[in-house]
Short mmCIF file of all heavy atoms in Angstrom, two decimals:
data_model
loop_
_atom_site.label_atom_id
_atom_site.label_comp_id
_atom_site.label_asym_id
_atom_site.label_seq_id
_atom_site.Cartn_x
_atom_site.Cartn_y
_atom_site.Cartn_z
N LEU A 909 -5.05 -19.29 -6.68
CA LEU A 909 -5.80 -18.47 -5.72
C LEU A 909 -6.99 -17.76 -6.37
O LEU A 909 -7.81 -17.17 -5.67
CB LEU A 909 -4.87 -17.43 -5.09
CG LEU A 909 -3.74 -17.95 -4.19
CD1 LEU A 909 -2.84 -16.80 -3.76
CD2 LEU A 909 -4.30 -18.67 -2.97
N GLY A 910 -7.06 -17.79 -7.71
CA GLY A 910 -8.14 -17.11 -8.42
C GLY A 910 -7.97 -15.61 -8.43
O GLY A 910 -8.97 -14.87 -8.50
N LEU A 911 -6.72 -15.14 -8.40
CA LEU A 911 -6.46 -13.71 -8.34
C LEU A 911 -5.71 -13.25 -9.59
O LEU A 911 -4.82 -13.95 -10.09
CB LEU A 911 -5.61 -13.38 -7.11
CG LEU A 911 -6.27 -13.65 -5.75
CD1 LEU A 911 -5.25 -13.41 -4.63
CD2 LEU A 911 -7.49 -12.75 -5.55
N LEU A 912 -6.06 -12.06 -10.06
CA LEU A 912 -5.33 -11.44 -11.16
C LEU A 912 -3.94 -11.01 -10.72
O LEU A 912 -2.98 -11.01 -11.49
CB LEU A 912 -6.12 -10.23 -11.67
CG LEU A 912 -5.55 -9.48 -12.87
CD1 LEU A 912 -5.59 -10.38 -14.10
CD2 LEU A 912 -6.36 -8.21 -13.13
N GLY A 913 -3.82 -10.67 -9.47
CA GLY A 913 -2.55 -10.23 -8.89
C GLY A 913 -2.80 -9.69 -7.49
O GLY A 913 -3.94 -9.65 -7.02
N THR A 914 -1.73 -9.27 -6.84
CA THR A 914 -1.86 -8.66 -5.52
C THR A 914 -0.98 -7.42 -5.44
O THR A 914 -0.12 -7.19 -6.28
CB THR A 914 -1.44 -9.62 -4.38
OG1 THR A 914 -0.01 -9.79 -4.40
CG2 THR A 914 -2.13 -10.97 -4.49
N VAL A 915 -1.22 -6.65 -4.41
CA VAL A 915 -0.35 -5.54 -4.03
C VAL A 915 0.48 -6.04 -2.85
O VAL A 915 -0.07 -6.42 -1.82
CB VAL A 915 -1.17 -4.30 -3.64
CG1 VAL A 915 -0.24 -3.17 -3.19
CG2 VAL A 915 -2.05 -3.86 -4.80
N ARG A 916 1.80 -6.06 -3.02
CA ARG A 916 2.66 -6.66 -2.00
C ARG A 916 3.43 -5.58 -1.23
O ARG A 916 4.20 -4.83 -1.82
CB ARG A 916 3.64 -7.63 -2.66
CG ARG A 916 4.50 -8.39 -1.67
CD ARG A 916 5.49 -9.29 -2.39
NE ARG A 916 6.52 -8.52 -3.08
CZ ARG A 916 7.41 -9.05 -3.92
NH1 ARG A 916 7.37 -10.35 -4.19
NH2 ARG A 916 8.32 -8.28 -4.49
N LEU A 917 3.21 -5.55 0.07
CA LEU A 917 4.02 -4.73 0.97
C LEU A 917 5.09 -5.64 1.55
O LEU A 917 4.78 -6.68 2.11
CB LEU A 917 3.18 -4.16 2.11
CG LEU A 917 1.79 -3.62 1.79
CD1 LEU A 917 1.09 -3.18 3.07
CD2 LEU A 917 1.86 -2.48 0.80
N SER A 918 6.34 -5.26 1.41
CA SER A 918 7.41 -6.08 1.98
C SER A 918 8.39 -5.18 2.73
O SER A 918 8.82 -4.14 2.23
CB SER A 918 8.12 -6.88 0.89
OG SER A 918 8.59 -6.07 -0.17
N PHE A 919 8.72 -5.59 3.95
CA PHE A 919 9.39 -4.72 4.90
C PHE A 919 10.87 -5.05 5.07
O PHE A 919 11.28 -6.21 4.94
CB PHE A 919 8.69 -4.81 6.26
CG PHE A 919 7.25 -4.39 6.22
CD1 PHE A 919 6.23 -5.33 6.19
CD2 PHE A 919 6.91 -3.05 6.17
CE1 PHE A 919 4.90 -4.95 6.14
CE2 PHE A 919 5.59 -2.65 6.11
CZ PHE A 919 4.58 -3.60 6.09
N GLY A 920 11.64 -4.00 5.38
CA GLY A 920 13.05 -4.13 5.69
C GLY A 920 13.35 -3.56 7.06
O GLY A 920 12.47 -3.00 7.74
N VAL A 921 14.61 -3.65 7.46
CA VAL A 921 14.99 -3.22 8.81
C VAL A 921 14.81 -1.72 9.01
O VAL A 921 14.70 -1.25 10.15
CB VAL A 921 16.45 -3.62 9.14
CG1 VAL A 921 16.59 -5.12 9.19
CG2 VAL A 921 17.45 -3.01 8.15
N TYR A 922 14.80 -0.94 7.92
CA TYR A 922 14.70 0.52 8.02
C TYR A 922 13.26 1.01 7.99
O TYR A 922 13.02 2.21 8.12
CB TYR A 922 15.49 1.17 6.89
CG TYR A 922 15.49 0.39 5.60
CD1 TYR A 922 14.32 0.20 4.86
CD2 TYR A 922 16.65 -0.20 5.14
CE1 TYR A 922 14.32 -0.54 3.71
CE2 TYR A 922 16.66 -0.95 3.98
CZ TYR A 922 15.49 -1.11 3.26
OH TYR A 922 15.49 -1.86 2.11
N ASN A 923 12.31 0.14 7.75
CA ASN A 923 10.90 0.58 7.71
C ASN A 923 10.35 0.78 9.11
O ASN A 923 10.81 0.17 10.07
CB ASN A 923 10.05 -0.43 6.95
CG ASN A 923 10.36 -0.47 5.47
OD1 ASN A 923 10.68 -1.51 4.92
ND2 ASN A 923 10.26 0.69 4.82
N THR A 924 9.36 1.65 9.21
CA THR A 924 8.77 1.99 10.49
C THR A 924 7.25 1.97 10.38
O THR A 924 6.68 1.82 9.28
CB THR A 924 9.21 3.39 10.96
OG1 THR A 924 8.58 4.37 10.11
CG2 THR A 924 10.72 3.56 10.91
N GLU A 925 6.59 2.16 11.49
CA GLU A 925 5.13 2.23 11.49
C GLU A 925 4.63 3.48 10.78
O GLU A 925 3.46 3.53 10.37
CB GLU A 925 4.59 2.13 12.91
CG GLU A 925 4.80 0.74 13.51
CD GLU A 925 4.13 0.56 14.85
OE1 GLU A 925 3.44 1.49 15.31
OE2 GLU A 925 4.29 -0.53 15.45
N ASP A 926 5.47 4.50 10.61
CA ASP A 926 5.09 5.65 9.79
C ASP A 926 4.84 5.21 8.34
O ASP A 926 3.94 5.74 7.68
CB ASP A 926 6.18 6.71 9.83
CG ASP A 926 6.26 7.42 11.17
OD1 ASP A 926 5.28 7.33 11.95
OD2 ASP A 926 7.30 8.04 11.45
N ASP A 927 5.65 4.26 7.85
CA ASP A 927 5.43 3.74 6.49
C ASP A 927 4.08 3.02 6.42
O ASP A 927 3.36 3.16 5.42
CB ASP A 927 6.55 2.76 6.12
CG ASP A 927 7.91 3.43 6.04
OD1 ASP A 927 7.98 4.55 5.50
OD2 ASP A 927 8.89 2.84 6.52
N VAL A 928 3.76 2.27 7.44
CA VAL A 928 2.48 1.57 7.48
C VAL A 928 1.32 2.56 7.46
O VAL A 928 0.33 2.38 6.74
CB VAL A 928 2.39 0.66 8.72
CG1 VAL A 928 0.99 0.08 8.87
CG2 VAL A 928 3.43 -0.45 8.65
N GLU A 929 1.43 3.63 8.22
CA GLU A 929 0.37 4.64 8.26
C GLU A 929 0.21 5.32 6.91
O GLU A 929 -0.91 5.62 6.48
CB GLU A 929 0.67 5.67 9.34
CG GLU A 929 -0.25 6.88 9.36
CD GLU A 929 -1.74 6.53 9.43
OE1 GLU A 929 -2.09 5.45 9.96
OE2 GLU A 929 -2.55 7.34 8.96
N ARG A 930 1.31 5.55 6.22
CA ARG A 930 1.22 6.17 4.90
C ARG A 930 0.47 5.25 3.93
O ARG A 930 -0.33 5.71 3.10
CB ARG A 930 2.61 6.49 4.36
CG ARG A 930 2.59 7.24 3.04
CD ARG A 930 3.99 7.58 2.56
NE ARG A 930 4.55 8.71 3.30
CZ ARG A 930 5.78 9.17 3.10
NH1 ARG A 930 6.57 8.61 2.22
NH2 ARG A 930 6.22 10.20 3.81
N VAL A 931 0.71 3.96 4.01
CA VAL A 931 -0.02 2.99 3.18
C VAL A 931 -1.51 3.04 3.51
O VAL A 931 -2.36 3.08 2.61
CB VAL A 931 0.53 1.56 3.40
CG1 VAL A 931 -0.39 0.53 2.74
CG2 VAL A 931 1.94 1.44 2.85
N ARG A 932 -1.82 3.01 4.80
CA ARG A 932 -3.23 3.02 5.20
C ARG A 932 -3.94 4.25 4.67
O ARG A 932 -5.05 4.17 4.11
CB ARG A 932 -3.34 2.98 6.73
CG ARG A 932 -4.77 2.81 7.25
CD ARG A 932 -4.94 3.40 8.63
NE ARG A 932 -4.71 4.85 8.63
CZ ARG A 932 -5.58 5.74 8.16
NH1 ARG A 932 -6.76 5.37 7.67
NH2 ARG A 932 -5.28 7.04 8.21
N ALA A 933 -3.31 5.41 4.82
CA ALA A 933 -3.93 6.65 4.37
C ALA A 933 -4.12 6.66 2.86
O ALA A 933 -5.16 7.13 2.35
CB ALA A 933 -3.08 7.84 4.81
N ALA A 934 -3.15 6.13 2.12
CA ALA A 934 -3.27 6.11 0.67
C ALA A 934 -4.34 5.14 0.22
O ALA A 934 -5.14 5.44 -0.68
CB ALA A 934 -1.93 5.75 0.04
N LEU A 935 -4.42 3.97 0.84
CA LEU A 935 -5.43 2.99 0.46
C LEU A 935 -6.84 3.49 0.77
O LEU A 935 -7.81 3.13 0.09
CB LEU A 935 -5.18 1.67 1.18
CG LEU A 935 -3.99 0.86 0.72
CD1 LEU A 935 -3.80 -0.38 1.60
CD2 LEU A 935 -4.12 0.45 -0.75
N ALA A 936 -6.95 4.33 1.77
CA ALA A 936 -8.27 4.88 2.13
C ALA A 936 -8.82 5.80 1.05
O ALA A 936 -10.03 6.07 1.01
CB ALA A 936 -8.18 5.61 3.47
N THR A 937 -7.95 6.29 0.16
CA THR A 937 -8.39 7.25 -0.85
C THR A 937 -8.32 6.71 -2.27
O THR A 937 -8.60 7.43 -3.22
CB THR A 937 -7.54 8.53 -0.78
OG1 THR A 937 -6.17 8.22 -1.02
CG2 THR A 937 -7.68 9.19 0.59
N VAL A 938 -7.95 5.43 -2.45
CA VAL A 938 -7.84 4.88 -3.80
C VAL A 938 -9.24 4.68 -4.38
O VAL A 938 -10.16 4.28 -3.68
CB VAL A 938 -7.04 3.55 -3.80
CG1 VAL A 938 -7.77 2.44 -3.05
CG2 VAL A 938 -6.70 3.14 -5.23
N ARG A 939 -9.37 4.99 -5.68
CA ARG A 939 -10.65 4.87 -6.34
C ARG A 939 -10.47 4.17 -7.69
O ARG A 939 -9.43 4.29 -8.32
CB ARG A 939 -11.26 6.26 -6.59
CG ARG A 939 -11.57 7.04 -5.32
CD ARG A 939 -12.75 6.42 -4.56
NE ARG A 939 -13.06 7.16 -3.34
CZ ARG A 939 -12.56 6.90 -2.15
NH1 ARG A 939 -11.67 5.91 -2.01
NH2 ARG A 939 -12.89 7.61 -1.09
N PRO A 940 -11.49 3.46 -8.16
CA PRO A 940 -11.39 2.78 -9.46
C PRO A 940 -11.14 3.78 -10.59
O PRO A 940 -11.65 4.90 -10.57
CB PRO A 940 -12.76 2.10 -9.62
CG PRO A 940 -13.32 2.02 -8.24
CD PRO A 940 -12.79 3.22 -7.51
N GLY A 941 -10.33 3.36 -11.58
CA GLY A 941 -10.17 4.14 -12.80
C GLY A 941 -9.23 5.31 -12.71
O GLY A 941 -9.07 6.05 -13.68
N GLN A 942 -8.57 5.51 -11.55
CA GLN A 942 -7.71 6.69 -11.42
C GLN A 942 -6.51 6.64 -12.37
O GLN A 942 -6.08 7.67 -12.87
CB GLN A 942 -7.19 6.78 -9.99
CG GLN A 942 -8.21 7.30 -8.98
CD GLN A 942 -7.63 7.30 -7.58
OE1 GLN A 942 -7.30 6.25 -7.04
NE2 GLN A 942 -7.50 8.47 -7.00
N TRP A 943 -5.95 5.43 -12.60
CA TRP A 943 -4.67 5.35 -13.29
C TRP A 943 -4.69 4.43 -14.51
O TRP A 943 -3.66 4.25 -15.14
CB TRP A 943 -3.60 4.83 -12.33
CG TRP A 943 -3.45 5.69 -11.13
CD1 TRP A 943 -4.08 5.54 -9.93
CD2 TRP A 943 -2.66 6.87 -11.01
NE1 TRP A 943 -3.71 6.54 -9.07
CE2 TRP A 943 -2.83 7.38 -9.71
CE3 TRP A 943 -1.81 7.55 -11.88
CZ2 TRP A 943 -2.19 8.52 -9.25
CZ3 TRP A 943 -1.16 8.69 -11.42
CH2 TRP A 943 -1.36 9.16 -10.14
N THR A 944 -5.84 3.91 -14.87
CA THR A 944 -5.88 2.88 -15.89
C THR A 944 -5.27 3.33 -17.21
O THR A 944 -4.54 2.60 -17.87
CB THR A 944 -7.33 2.43 -16.13
OG1 THR A 944 -7.88 1.98 -14.89
CG2 THR A 944 -7.40 1.31 -17.15
#
């Protein structure tokens, strides 16, 4: 695929759309170099 890697979200029966919203909000604030 020409990718170094991916970020994988994988869901179970106990997950909800609140979990999805938390992911969206966190991804909206991610910046390069924060954790390297």
Side-chain angles (χ1 to χ4, degrees):
L909 294 174
L911 296 174
L912 183 66
T914 72
V915 177
R916 185 182 69 188
L917 318 177
S918 54
F919 299 102
V921 295
Y922 34 66
N923 291 124
T924 70
E925 291 187 3
D926 289 342
D927 296 318
V928 172
E929 172 54 27
R930 184 178 284 178
V931 170
R932 188 207 62 76
L935 288 176
T937 60
V938 66
R939 297 290 180 268
Q942 284 177 297
W943 301 93
T944 303

